[in-house]
Amino acid sequence: MSAGAGTADPRRPRLNTMAGIVWRTQRRTILVWVAALAAGMIGTAAAVAGLYDTPAEIHTYAEAVTSGSALAAINGAVEGIDSLGGVIQDEFGFLASFLLPLLGITLIAGSTRREEESGRLETILGGRIARHQPALAALTVATAAILATAVLFAAGLVLEGVPVSGAILYSAALGALAFVFAGFAALLAQLVLHARGVYTWSLIGLAAAYVLRGIGDTTGTGLVWLSPLGWAEKTAPFGDQRWWVLALPAVAGLVMGGAAVWLAARRDLGSALLRGGAGPAGATRVRRGPIGFAAWIHGPATAGWLSGGILLTAMMGALARPFLDAMAGNPALGRAMGVAAGRPLDGFVAATQLYLAVIAAGYVIQAIGALRTEEADGRLATRLAGTLSRNRWLAAHGAVIAAGLLLIVVGSSLVLALTTAWSVGNTDETGAIMAAGLAYLPAELVLAGLALALFGRWPRAFALTWAAYAAATFIALLGPGLDLARWVLDLAPTTHVGSPPVGTAQAGSLTALSLVAAVLIMAGFTAFHRRDTS
Amino acid sequence: MSRSVPVIHVRDLRKTFGKVRALDGLDLSVRPGEVHGFLGPNGSGKSTTIRILLGLIRATAGRVELFGADPWREAAGLHGRLAYVAGDVALWPGLTGGQCLDVLGATHGGVDRRRRDDLIARFDLDPAKRIRDYSKGNRQKVALVAALAAEAELLILDEPTSGLDPLMEQAFQQCVRERREDGVTVLLSSHILGEVEALADRVSIIRRGRAVTTGSLAELRRHTRTSVHAVTIAEPEGLAGAPGVADCVCERADGRVDARFTIDAEHLDAAIGRLHAARIHTLTVTPPSLDALFLHAYGETLDARETGETLAEATR
C-alpha cells in the first residue's frame, strides 16, 4: 500500500496531529480569550500607572486599602501594596480571580467533553489518535494559550514601569492560577457526562476557592493556603517574592491534568462517573405548555446564577460590621472607595449592588444565548413545527427569563438585607438595599434587549453580546477607580443608574434606560418574527 | 498479512453497560478483501461492536482481534490502517467542508489527494461551504469522502448512507465497489437491506447482541424460498402437491391461470417443468430477498409479541 503522506512513519499516533486539530477547531475562541484578557489586564495596568504616578499617591491608596478587611475579602490581601505593582494587583484582584480560572476552564471544556458529547471525538478517535491524546492535546494547547497571556501581560507590566522580577512573578502566578483550573476542568471532563456539567462543577470549585481565600484573608488564617486563588496571592510578587509558591499550582495542575489523561486512556468513550439516571416516561401537564417547558430549560442556569448572587451578597453582608469599623478608623478608605463621608454603609451596599448587577446581567445574556443554542441545535424547528407560534415561543421564554431575573435580583438583595441586618445589628438599611437592587433592573434589561435584538436580527453574531457584556463589566467595575473619561463610563448601562443608595437613582435616567430596553426588546421580537430560522 | 487470517475476528464478545447487556456472546469474522454486511435492527449492538473494534470502548469479556492485534491496547496504531464513518456524523459547524476533510485526513494513515478530489466531484460536494450550512446528507458525504479517500486497508462504515438520496447512494455503492477492487476490506453496518444486498459478499445478522446467522448470500438464501408467479394457458397439473412447493394459489383470470407459489431452490426445475407443460404465458421468478432472509433468520428466535416490531424494522 502506498503511503500518501511523506513522513517517516505516518501510522504512528502523533500528539502534534491532535494538538493541530484542537488549534484548528478552537483557534477563534483561544485568540479572542488571549487578546481580550491581555488587553484588559494591560489596559488596567496602564490606567493605574497613569493615575498613581507619584509615590505619595500610591502610599495614600495603600493606606486606605489595607485598613479594610472587606476589601481584602473582595480583592485579596495584597502584600507590598505600597508600590505600583501592588496597586495594579489590588485593582485587578476581583476580576483576575474569575477571568484567569475561566480562561483555563473554557479552553479545556470546549476541546474535551464538548467534543466527546457532540460525537466529533468518536470520528477523531476512529483515526490514528490514541484515546489519551485529545485530553493531553487540549491541556497542551490551553497551557500554550495561558503562557501567551502571561507573557503578554508581563511585557505590558514592564512597559508601564513595574519592576521586571515582580512583573514576571505576578504574571506567572496568574498563569499558574489558570493552569490549575485547566487541570481541574480536564479532570472533570473525564468524570461528568456533559460540557455543561464541566462548567457547573468548575465554577462551584472556583466559588469555593474564592470563599476560602476571602475568609482566610479576612481572618488571617491558613485557609488561604487551601485555595488556588490564595496561592497566587501568596507568591507576593510585589512583596517578599516567594517564587517557590508557584510549585503548588504547577503540581496541582499537573496532578489533575495527569489524572485526566490517565483516565481518558482507560475509560470507554462516552462514559462518565457521574451521570443522570432514568427519568419519568411522560411529561407533566405543566411541562407540556410553552411556559412550563421554558422554565424547565432555564431552571438550572437560573439556579446557578442565583447561587452566585446569594454567595456574593451573603459574604458581603456578613462583612458589613468589620467594614464599618475599618471606616471609622480610617477616612482615607472612604475616599478610595468613592464613599461619601458619613454614609459608609450606603457606599458599601452600592458597591455590592453593582457586583450583583453584573451577575444578573450575565444571567439574562446566558439565558437568551440558550435560545440561540436551541435554534442552532435544531430543537427550535421541532418546537415551531406544531401549533406553537414564534411569538408565543419567544414570549414564553421572555417571561420565564424575566421572572428568573427578578428572582435573582430580589432574592440576592434580600439575602444582602438580612445578612447586613444581622451583621450591623439593625434593619435600617433594608429598604435602601431592596430599592437599590430594583433600580438596576432597567440597566440589566438594556443588555437583555441587546441580546434579544441580536438573537432576532443577527443570530450568528450573538457572541457580540458577550463582548458588550465584558466591556460593560470592565467599565462598571474598574472605570471609576481608573478615572476613565466620562463618555467611556457612560457606555456602561449601570453608570446611568446613579450608584444607589449612596447616590440617587434619577427617575429620568431609569426611564430612559427602560425605554432603550423596550425598543431593543421590541426590535428583537419583530426581527425574530420576520427572519428565517435555522 | 496472509490472506487466510481474518481482518476482524470476534469470539464470544460481551459488553455490559451497568445492568444493560449490549453484547451477549457475539461472533464475527471478516476475511481480507471482502465486503461484509453487518445487519441488524436499531439497538441490536452493531455500533457497540464497532466501537469495541475501534478500541473506543472496552469489551467486558470475549476475544477481539483487528489485524490480529488487540484494538483496545493498540487502537491508534491500528487506526493508521483503517478509516471509519460513524453512525451519527458530527463535524465542526464553524469549519468548511474542505477544512473538515483536512482535519479528518490528518487522523488517517494517509490521503490520496487525487481520489479525494475525484470523490468531491462525484458526491457533488462544495468544499468551501461551512458545515453548519450543509444539509444532513451533505455532512454525511463529507465523512464518506474523508473515509473513502484515506489510504486504508479496512473501511468500517456504520450506517453510511442514512441521509443520502438514491442517486448519491448509487455513487456510494460504486465507490465501495472500486475500493474493494483495490483490495480494501469493508465492514458495512446497516439496517437497509437493499444496500447490503447490492454490496456484500458475506453477511452477519445480529440481534440482541448475538450473531443470529452468518454466511454468503448464496448460503443464506439456500435456507429460504424462491417466489414464483406464472400465468399459464392451461391449468398446471399437480402443482400444489409437488415436492418443495408451498403457499400455492391458482386462480382463473381472463381465460388464463394465474399461479403463485414458493419453492425450495433444489425443486425449482421440476416445478418449472410442470408450468411449461401448461404453456407459460408470463413467468416471474424472484430469488429470496434479504428482507425474507432477515425475517427467516429472526423467525427462529421470534416470539409472537415481537413479530410486528421486527417486520416494521425489516421493511424499512
Short mmCIF file of all heavy atoms in Angstrom, two decimals, chain A residues 14-24 26 30 34 103-104 106-109 111-112 129-130 132-149 175 178-187 190 253-254 256-258 260-261:
data_model
loop_
_atom_site.label_atom_id
_atom_site.label_comp_id
_atom_site.label_asym_id
_atom_site.label_seq_id
_atom_site.Cartn_x
_atom_site.Cartn_y
_atom_site.Cartn_z
N ARG A 14 0.37 10.57 16.68
CA ARG A 14 1.21 11.72 17.00
C ARG A 14 0.41 12.77 17.73
O ARG A 14 -0.70 13.11 17.33
CB ARG A 14 1.78 12.30 15.71
CG ARG A 14 2.75 11.36 15.02
CD ARG A 14 3.99 12.10 14.59
NE ARG A 14 3.64 13.41 14.06
CZ ARG A 14 3.51 13.66 12.76
NH1 ARG A 14 3.67 12.73 11.89
NH2 ARG A 14 3.23 14.88 12.36
N LEU A 15 1.02 13.27 18.79
CA LEU A 15 0.35 14.30 19.59
C LEU A 15 0.20 15.58 18.78
O LEU A 15 -0.81 16.28 18.89
CB LEU A 15 1.15 14.56 20.87
CG LEU A 15 0.51 15.55 21.84
CD1 LEU A 15 -0.85 15.06 22.29
CD2 LEU A 15 1.41 15.79 23.03
N ASN A 16 1.19 15.87 17.92
CA ASN A 16 1.11 17.11 17.12
C ASN A 16 -0.17 17.14 16.30
O ASN A 16 -0.78 18.18 16.13
CB ASN A 16 2.25 17.22 16.11
CG ASN A 16 3.58 16.92 16.72
OD1 ASN A 16 3.63 16.50 17.87
ND2 ASN A 16 4.63 17.11 15.98
N THR A 17 -0.53 15.97 15.73
CA THR A 17 -1.72 15.92 14.89
C THR A 17 -2.93 16.36 15.70
O THR A 17 -3.72 17.19 15.28
CB THR A 17 -1.94 14.49 14.38
OG1 THR A 17 -0.73 14.03 13.82
CG2 THR A 17 -3.04 14.45 13.36
N MET A 18 -3.07 15.79 16.91
CA MET A 18 -4.23 16.10 17.74
C MET A 18 -4.17 17.56 18.20
O MET A 18 -5.19 18.26 18.19
CB MET A 18 -4.25 15.15 18.94
CG MET A 18 -5.52 15.23 19.75
SD MET A 18 -7.01 14.79 18.79
CE MET A 18 -8.13 16.07 19.32
N ALA A 19 -2.98 18.02 18.60
CA ALA A 19 -2.85 19.41 19.03
C ALA A 19 -3.21 20.33 17.86
O ALA A 19 -3.87 21.36 18.05
CB ALA A 19 -1.44 19.69 19.52
N GLY A 20 -2.81 19.94 16.66
CA GLY A 20 -3.16 20.72 15.48
C GLY A 20 -4.66 20.79 15.27
O GLY A 20 -5.21 21.82 14.91
N ILE A 21 -5.35 19.66 15.53
CA ILE A 21 -6.81 19.64 15.38
C ILE A 21 -7.45 20.55 16.42
O ILE A 21 -8.37 21.32 16.11
CB ILE A 21 -7.33 18.20 15.50
CG1 ILE A 21 -6.86 17.38 14.28
CG2 ILE A 21 -8.85 18.18 15.59
CD1 ILE A 21 -7.19 15.92 14.36
N VAL A 22 -6.96 20.47 17.66
CA VAL A 22 -7.53 21.33 18.71
C VAL A 22 -7.34 22.79 18.32
O VAL A 22 -8.27 23.60 18.40
CB VAL A 22 -6.86 21.05 20.07
CG1 VAL A 22 -7.31 22.08 21.10
CG2 VAL A 22 -7.18 19.65 20.55
N TRP A 23 -6.14 23.12 17.85
CA TRP A 23 -5.86 24.51 17.48
C TRP A 23 -6.76 24.94 16.33
O TRP A 23 -7.37 25.98 16.33
CB TRP A 23 -4.39 24.65 17.12
CG TRP A 23 -4.04 25.94 16.44
CD1 TRP A 23 -3.61 26.11 15.17
CD2 TRP A 23 -4.11 27.26 17.01
NE1 TRP A 23 -3.41 27.43 14.90
CE2 TRP A 23 -3.72 28.18 16.00
CE3 TRP A 23 -4.49 27.77 18.25
CZ2 TRP A 23 -3.67 29.55 16.21
CZ3 TRP A 23 -4.45 29.15 18.46
CH2 TRP A 23 -4.04 30.01 17.45
N ARG A 24 -6.87 24.05 15.33
CA ARG A 24 -7.63 24.40 14.14
C ARG A 24 -9.11 24.61 14.45
O ARG A 24 -9.77 25.46 13.87
CB ARG A 24 -7.49 23.26 13.14
CG ARG A 24 -7.95 23.63 11.78
CD ARG A 24 -7.14 22.87 10.77
NE ARG A 24 -7.40 23.40 9.45
CZ ARG A 24 -6.77 22.97 8.37
NH1 ARG A 24 -5.83 22.07 8.48
NH2 ARG A 24 -7.05 23.48 7.20
N GLN A 26 -10.40 25.30 17.54
CA GLN A 26 -10.68 26.19 18.68
C GLN A 26 -10.00 27.54 18.55
O GLN A 26 -10.06 28.35 19.47
CB GLN A 26 -10.18 25.56 20.00
CG GLN A 26 -10.65 24.16 20.27
CD GLN A 26 -12.10 24.12 20.67
OE1 GLN A 26 -12.58 25.04 21.34
NE2 GLN A 26 -12.81 23.10 20.26
N ILE A 30 -9.67 30.71 21.31
CA ILE A 30 -8.39 30.91 22.01
C ILE A 30 -7.89 32.33 21.76
O ILE A 30 -7.52 33.04 22.71
CB ILE A 30 -7.35 29.89 21.51
CG1 ILE A 30 -7.77 28.47 21.92
CG2 ILE A 30 -5.97 30.21 22.06
CD1 ILE A 30 -6.92 27.36 21.31
N VAL A 34 -7.30 35.16 24.65
CA VAL A 34 -5.95 35.65 24.95
C VAL A 34 -5.87 37.15 24.68
O VAL A 34 -5.39 37.92 25.52
CB VAL A 34 -4.90 34.89 24.11
CG1 VAL A 34 -3.53 35.53 24.24
CG2 VAL A 34 -4.83 33.44 24.55
N LEU A 103 -10.50 31.29 31.89
CA LEU A 103 -9.69 31.03 30.70
C LEU A 103 -9.35 29.54 30.63
O LEU A 103 -9.58 28.88 29.62
CB LEU A 103 -8.42 31.88 30.74
CG LEU A 103 -7.31 31.54 29.72
CD1 LEU A 103 -7.75 31.93 28.33
CD2 LEU A 103 -6.00 32.21 30.08
N GLY A 104 -8.82 29.03 31.75
CA GLY A 104 -8.46 27.61 31.79
C GLY A 104 -9.66 26.71 31.58
O GLY A 104 -9.62 25.76 30.78
N THR A 106 -12.66 27.34 30.17
CA THR A 106 -13.29 27.43 28.85
C THR A 106 -12.48 26.68 27.80
O THR A 106 -13.03 25.93 27.00
CB THR A 106 -13.41 28.91 28.42
OG1 THR A 106 -13.99 29.63 29.48
CG2 THR A 106 -14.26 29.04 27.19
N LEU A 107 -11.16 26.91 27.81
CA LEU A 107 -10.34 26.28 26.78
C LEU A 107 -10.42 24.76 26.89
O LEU A 107 -10.45 24.06 25.89
CB LEU A 107 -8.89 26.74 26.90
CG LEU A 107 -8.65 28.23 26.64
CD1 LEU A 107 -7.17 28.54 26.58
CD2 LEU A 107 -9.33 28.67 25.34
N ILE A 108 -10.47 24.23 28.11
CA ILE A 108 -10.49 22.79 28.28
C ILE A 108 -11.88 22.21 27.99
O ILE A 108 -12.02 21.25 27.23
CB ILE A 108 -10.06 22.41 29.71
CG1 ILE A 108 -8.59 22.74 29.92
CG2 ILE A 108 -10.32 20.94 29.97
CD1 ILE A 108 -7.64 21.93 29.07
N ALA A 109 -12.92 22.81 28.57
CA ALA A 109 -14.27 22.26 28.39
C ALA A 109 -14.63 22.23 26.91
O ALA A 109 -15.23 21.28 26.41
CB ALA A 109 -15.29 23.08 29.18
N SER A 111 -12.72 21.85 24.35
CA SER A 111 -12.00 20.91 23.48
C SER A 111 -11.98 19.49 24.03
O SER A 111 -11.36 18.62 23.45
CB SER A 111 -10.57 21.41 23.23
OG SER A 111 -9.93 21.68 24.45
N THR A 112 -12.66 19.24 25.16
CA THR A 112 -12.70 17.86 25.65
C THR A 112 -14.12 17.31 25.66
O THR A 112 -14.57 16.70 24.71
CB THR A 112 -12.09 17.75 27.07
OG1 THR A 112 -12.73 18.70 27.91
CG2 THR A 112 -10.60 18.01 27.05
N ILE A 129 -5.38 8.42 16.40
CA ILE A 129 -5.23 9.25 17.59
C ILE A 129 -5.49 8.33 18.79
O ILE A 129 -6.53 7.67 18.83
CB ILE A 129 -6.25 10.41 17.59
CG1 ILE A 129 -6.08 11.30 16.36
CG2 ILE A 129 -6.14 11.23 18.86
CD1 ILE A 129 -4.80 12.08 16.30
N ALA A 130 -4.56 8.28 19.72
CA ALA A 130 -4.76 7.41 20.88
C ALA A 130 -5.76 8.04 21.83
O ALA A 130 -5.94 9.26 21.84
CB ALA A 130 -3.43 7.19 21.58
N HIS A 132 -5.85 8.77 24.91
CA HIS A 132 -5.46 9.80 25.88
C HIS A 132 -5.04 11.10 25.20
O HIS A 132 -4.92 12.13 25.85
CB HIS A 132 -4.30 9.29 26.73
CG HIS A 132 -3.01 9.16 25.95
ND1 HIS A 132 -2.74 8.09 25.14
CD2 HIS A 132 -1.95 10.00 25.84
CE1 HIS A 132 -1.55 8.26 24.58
NE2 HIS A 132 -1.06 9.41 24.97
N GLN A 133 -4.83 11.06 23.89
CA GLN A 133 -4.25 12.22 23.24
C GLN A 133 -5.17 13.45 23.15
O GLN A 133 -4.67 14.56 23.28
CB GLN A 133 -3.72 11.84 21.85
CG GLN A 133 -2.39 11.09 21.99
CD GLN A 133 -1.82 10.65 20.68
OE1 GLN A 133 -2.55 10.44 19.73
NE2 GLN A 133 -0.51 10.49 20.64
N PRO A 134 -6.49 13.28 22.95
CA PRO A 134 -7.31 14.50 22.95
C PRO A 134 -7.21 15.30 24.25
O PRO A 134 -7.06 16.52 24.22
CB PRO A 134 -8.72 13.97 22.72
CG PRO A 134 -8.52 12.71 21.96
CD PRO A 134 -7.26 12.11 22.52
N ALA A 135 -7.24 14.61 25.40
CA ALA A 135 -7.14 15.32 26.68
C ALA A 135 -5.76 15.96 26.80
O ALA A 135 -5.63 17.12 27.23
CB ALA A 135 -7.39 14.36 27.83
N LEU A 136 -4.74 15.22 26.41
CA LEU A 136 -3.37 15.74 26.51
C LEU A 136 -3.19 16.94 25.59
O LEU A 136 -2.60 17.96 25.97
CB LEU A 136 -2.38 14.62 26.16
CG LEU A 136 -0.90 14.93 26.38
CD1 LEU A 136 -0.64 15.34 27.82
CD2 LEU A 136 -0.05 13.71 26.04
N ALA A 137 -3.73 16.82 24.37
CA ALA A 137 -3.60 17.92 23.41
C ALA A 137 -4.36 19.15 23.89
O ALA A 137 -3.87 20.28 23.77
CB ALA A 137 -4.11 17.48 22.05
N ALA A 138 -5.55 18.93 24.47
CA ALA A 138 -6.34 20.06 24.99
C ALA A 138 -5.54 20.78 26.07
O ALA A 138 -5.47 22.02 26.10
CB ALA A 138 -7.66 19.57 25.54
N LEU A 139 -4.92 20.01 26.96
CA LEU A 139 -4.12 20.62 28.03
C LEU A 139 -2.90 21.34 27.46
O LEU A 139 -2.54 22.44 27.91
CB LEU A 139 -3.67 19.53 29.02
CG LEU A 139 -4.73 19.11 30.04
CD1 LEU A 139 -4.35 17.81 30.71
CD2 LEU A 139 -4.90 20.21 31.08
N THR A 140 -2.28 20.74 26.45
CA THR A 140 -1.09 21.36 25.85
C THR A 140 -1.45 22.71 25.22
O THR A 140 -0.78 23.71 25.46
CB THR A 140 -0.51 20.43 24.76
OG1 THR A 140 -0.34 19.13 25.33
CG2 THR A 140 0.82 20.94 24.27
N VAL A 141 -2.54 22.69 24.42
CA VAL A 141 -2.93 23.93 23.74
C VAL A 141 -3.36 24.99 24.76
O VAL A 141 -2.99 26.16 24.66
CB VAL A 141 -4.06 23.65 22.72
CG1 VAL A 141 -4.60 24.94 22.16
CG2 VAL A 141 -3.53 22.76 21.60
N ALA A 142 -4.12 24.56 25.79
CA ALA A 142 -4.57 25.51 26.82
C ALA A 142 -3.36 26.09 27.54
O ALA A 142 -3.30 27.30 27.81
CB ALA A 142 -5.50 24.82 27.81
N THR A 143 -2.37 25.24 27.85
CA THR A 143 -1.19 25.73 28.54
C THR A 143 -0.44 26.75 27.68
O THR A 143 0.02 27.78 28.19
CB THR A 143 -0.26 24.55 28.89
OG1 THR A 143 -1.01 23.58 29.61
CG2 THR A 143 0.90 25.00 29.75
N ALA A 144 -0.35 26.47 26.40
CA ALA A 144 0.31 27.41 25.49
C ALA A 144 -0.42 28.74 25.47
O ALA A 144 0.20 29.82 25.51
CB ALA A 144 0.40 26.81 24.09
N ALA A 145 -1.77 28.68 25.45
CA ALA A 145 -2.56 29.92 25.43
C ALA A 145 -2.36 30.69 26.74
O ALA A 145 -2.24 31.92 26.75
CB ALA A 145 -4.04 29.59 25.22
N ILE A 146 -2.32 29.96 27.86
CA ILE A 146 -2.12 30.60 29.16
C ILE A 146 -0.74 31.25 29.21
O ILE A 146 -0.58 32.38 29.67
CB ILE A 146 -2.28 29.54 30.28
CG1 ILE A 146 -3.74 29.13 30.40
CG2 ILE A 146 -1.77 30.09 31.61
CD1 ILE A 146 -3.96 27.88 31.24
N LEU A 147 0.24 30.53 28.69
CA LEU A 147 1.61 31.05 28.66
C LEU A 147 1.68 32.34 27.83
O LEU A 147 2.31 33.32 28.24
CB LEU A 147 2.53 29.98 28.04
CG LEU A 147 3.93 29.87 28.63
CD1 LEU A 147 3.86 29.53 30.11
CD2 LEU A 147 4.72 28.79 27.90
N ALA A 148 1.00 32.32 26.69
CA ALA A 148 1.00 33.50 25.82
C ALA A 148 0.38 34.68 26.56
O ALA A 148 0.90 35.81 26.52
CB ALA A 148 0.23 33.21 24.54
N THR A 149 -0.75 34.44 27.26
CA THR A 149 -1.40 35.50 28.02
C THR A 149 -0.43 36.06 29.06
O THR A 149 -0.31 37.28 29.23
CB THR A 149 -2.66 34.95 28.71
OG1 THR A 149 -3.40 34.19 27.77
CG2 THR A 149 -3.51 36.06 29.26
N GLY A 175 -0.88 33.04 35.56
CA GLY A 175 -0.88 31.94 34.59
C GLY A 175 -1.04 30.60 35.30
O GLY A 175 -1.80 29.73 34.86
N ALA A 178 -4.61 29.99 36.22
CA ALA A 178 -5.39 29.49 35.08
C ALA A 178 -5.07 28.02 34.83
O ALA A 178 -5.96 27.22 34.51
CB ALA A 178 -5.08 30.33 33.83
N PHE A 179 -3.80 27.65 35.00
CA PHE A 179 -3.37 26.28 34.75
C PHE A 179 -4.02 25.29 35.72
O PHE A 179 -4.45 24.20 35.33
CB PHE A 179 -1.84 26.21 34.85
CG PHE A 179 -1.27 24.84 34.60
CD1 PHE A 179 -1.33 24.26 33.34
CD2 PHE A 179 -0.67 24.13 35.63
CE1 PHE A 179 -0.81 23.00 33.11
CE2 PHE A 179 -0.15 22.86 35.42
CZ PHE A 179 -0.22 22.29 34.15
N VAL A 180 -4.11 25.68 37.01
CA VAL A 180 -4.77 24.80 37.99
C VAL A 180 -6.19 24.50 37.55
O VAL A 180 -6.63 23.35 37.57
CB VAL A 180 -4.81 25.45 39.39
CG1 VAL A 180 -5.63 24.60 40.35
CG2 VAL A 180 -3.43 25.65 39.93
N PHE A 181 -6.90 25.55 37.14
CA PHE A 181 -8.30 25.33 36.77
C PHE A 181 -8.42 24.60 35.44
O PHE A 181 -9.40 23.88 35.21
CB PHE A 181 -9.07 26.65 36.79
CG PHE A 181 -9.52 27.00 38.19
CD1 PHE A 181 -8.73 27.77 39.02
CD2 PHE A 181 -10.70 26.48 38.71
CE1 PHE A 181 -9.11 28.04 40.31
CE2 PHE A 181 -11.08 26.74 40.01
CZ PHE A 181 -10.29 27.53 40.82
N ALA A 182 -7.43 24.74 34.57
CA ALA A 182 -7.43 23.94 33.34
C ALA A 182 -7.31 22.46 33.71
O ALA A 182 -8.04 21.61 33.18
CB ALA A 182 -6.27 24.37 32.44
N GLY A 183 -6.41 22.15 34.64
CA GLY A 183 -6.26 20.76 35.09
C GLY A 183 -7.52 20.24 35.75
O GLY A 183 -7.96 19.12 35.50
N PHE A 184 -8.12 21.10 36.58
CA PHE A 184 -9.36 20.74 37.28
C PHE A 184 -10.46 20.43 36.27
O PHE A 184 -11.16 19.41 36.35
CB PHE A 184 -9.74 21.90 38.20
CG PHE A 184 -10.95 21.64 39.06
CD1 PHE A 184 -11.07 20.46 39.79
CD2 PHE A 184 -11.95 22.59 39.17
CE1 PHE A 184 -12.18 20.24 40.60
CE2 PHE A 184 -13.06 22.38 39.98
CZ PHE A 184 -13.17 21.19 40.69
N ALA A 185 -10.62 21.32 35.28
CA ALA A 185 -11.66 21.13 34.26
C ALA A 185 -11.39 19.87 33.44
O ALA A 185 -12.31 19.13 33.08
CB ALA A 185 -11.75 22.36 33.36
N ALA A 186 -10.11 19.61 33.14
CA ALA A 186 -9.76 18.42 32.35
C ALA A 186 -10.16 17.15 33.11
O ALA A 186 -10.67 16.19 32.52
CB ALA A 186 -8.27 18.40 32.04
N LEU A 187 -9.94 17.17 34.42
CA LEU A 187 -10.31 16.01 35.23
C LEU A 187 -11.83 15.85 35.26
O LEU A 187 -12.37 14.76 35.07
CB LEU A 187 -9.75 16.18 36.65
CG LEU A 187 -9.96 15.01 37.61
CD1 LEU A 187 -9.39 13.73 37.03
CD2 LEU A 187 -9.29 15.31 38.95
N GLN A 190 -13.48 14.22 32.35
CA GLN A 190 -13.46 12.77 32.29
C GLN A 190 -14.55 12.16 33.16
O GLN A 190 -14.88 10.99 33.01
CB GLN A 190 -12.10 12.22 32.75
CG GLN A 190 -10.92 12.78 31.99
CD GLN A 190 -11.04 12.54 30.51
OE1 GLN A 190 -11.44 11.47 30.07
NE2 GLN A 190 -10.72 13.55 29.71
N GLY A 253 -1.93 21.37 39.16
CA GLY A 253 -2.42 21.32 37.77
C GLY A 253 -1.92 20.07 37.07
O GLY A 253 -2.67 19.39 36.36
N LEU A 254 -0.63 19.75 37.28
CA LEU A 254 -0.07 18.57 36.62
C LEU A 254 -0.72 17.29 37.13
O LEU A 254 -0.99 16.37 36.34
CB LEU A 254 1.44 18.51 36.85
CG LEU A 254 2.28 19.46 35.99
CD1 LEU A 254 3.75 19.42 36.40
CD2 LEU A 254 2.12 19.10 34.51
N MET A 256 -3.77 16.88 38.46
CA MET A 256 -5.14 16.76 37.95
C MET A 256 -5.15 16.50 36.45
O MET A 256 -5.91 15.66 35.95
CB MET A 256 -5.96 18.00 38.30
CG MET A 256 -6.29 18.07 39.79
SD MET A 256 -7.44 19.39 40.19
CE MET A 256 -6.42 20.81 39.96
N GLY A 257 -4.30 17.23 35.71
CA GLY A 257 -4.22 17.01 34.27
C GLY A 257 -3.74 15.60 33.96
O GLY A 257 -4.26 14.93 33.06
N GLY A 258 -2.73 15.13 34.73
CA GLY A 258 -2.21 13.78 34.54
C GLY A 258 -3.29 12.74 34.81
O GLY A 258 -3.43 11.77 34.05
N ALA A 260 -6.43 13.19 34.47
CA ALA A 260 -7.39 13.27 33.36
C ALA A 260 -6.89 12.44 32.17
O ALA A 260 -7.64 11.66 31.59
CB ALA A 260 -7.59 14.72 32.95
N VAL A 261 -5.61 12.58 31.84
CA VAL A 261 -5.04 11.85 30.71
C VAL A 261 -5.04 10.35 31.00
O VAL A 261 -5.38 9.53 30.14
CB VAL A 261 -3.61 12.37 30.43
CG1 VAL A 261 -2.92 11.50 29.39
CG2 VAL A 261 -3.66 13.81 29.96
#
